[in-house]
Amino acid sequence: MPSPSRTSLVAIVREARHIIEADGLEHLTMQRVAKAVGVRAPSLYKHVGGRDELIRLVAVDATEELGHRLAATTTGDARRDIGSLAHELRAFAHELPETYRLLWSPVHAAWRPHPDVSAHAVEPMLEVVARLTRGTDTLEAARTLTAWAHGFVSMELAGAFRLGGDVDEAFDYGIERLAGAIAGPGRR
């Protein structure tokens, strides 16, 4: 009879995320994760096929977390919800910058979550934007808002806003202007 496992896939993914956040993706090794969960590296392979699969599982876990966080911010008021979604994306990036980079950087195909996982995570954005646009150009509007928010947050994380001024006010300014543009004339 095989001995019971001393760790779980949940614990392995949690520790992998912790390592990525603390030291960056380049420092994620199977040996390091094994040590963190209290097993030898070969024991990890009972749960995970290798580093590529582990990174994909981390990306899936983080994408699902972001999707849940986005969904929890919506209230039914599309104009307000656009801001809430953008602020939640920004908060996620600030709390988990290395994880955010993993989700938003060009990565090896083996590391990407299945498209269904990503689609589920962005449902709150698509639903809110659809209400704001009344179903017209929803995907284009959601992509525009997401690209702006990601660009802003990426610049912020990189310390690229060096001209002074209040970055929070600039973020809110951008959200307000984009929400108005997305809603269009007569839809405000």
Side-chain angles (χ1 to χ4, degrees), residues 74-88:
T74 60
T75 64
D77 178 337
R79 192 73 178 248
R80 185 176 328 158
D81 287 348
I82 288 283
S84 296
L85 290 166
H87 280 283
E88 190 57 41

Side-chain angles (χ1 to χ4, degrees), residues 67-172:
H68 292 303
R69 288 175 63 163
L70 293 174
T73 68
T74 60
T75 64
D77 178 337
R79 192 73 178 248
R80 185 176 328 158
D81 287 348
I82 288 283
S84 296
L85 290 166
H87 280 283
E88 190 57 41
L89 177 69
R90 185 179 183 212
F92 180 90
H94 281 273
E95 290 168 28
L96 303 164
E98 294 300 322
T99 302
Y100 181 82
R101 286 182 185 97
L102 172 63
L103 297 183
W104 292 81
S105 297
V107 294
H108 189 282
W111 298 354
R112 291 187 198 125
H114 189 276
D116 291 346
V117 173
S118 299
H120 182 69
V122 299
E123 280 178 13
M125 173 68 75
L126 291 172
E127 290 170 4
V128 167
V129 171
R131 285 196 309 272
L132 195 59
T133 64
R134 296 186 183 142
T136 304
D137 304 322
T138 299
L139 184 58
E140 293 82 356
R143 284 179 172 160
T144 299
L145 179 64
T146 302
W148 171 82
H150 170 64
F152 191 103
V153 168
S154 295
M155 288 180 67
E156 189 175 22
L157 290 175
F161 292 123
R162 298 183 193 122
L163 297 178
D166 189 318
V167 175
D168 293 332
E169 285 181 17
F171 192 76
D172 289 337

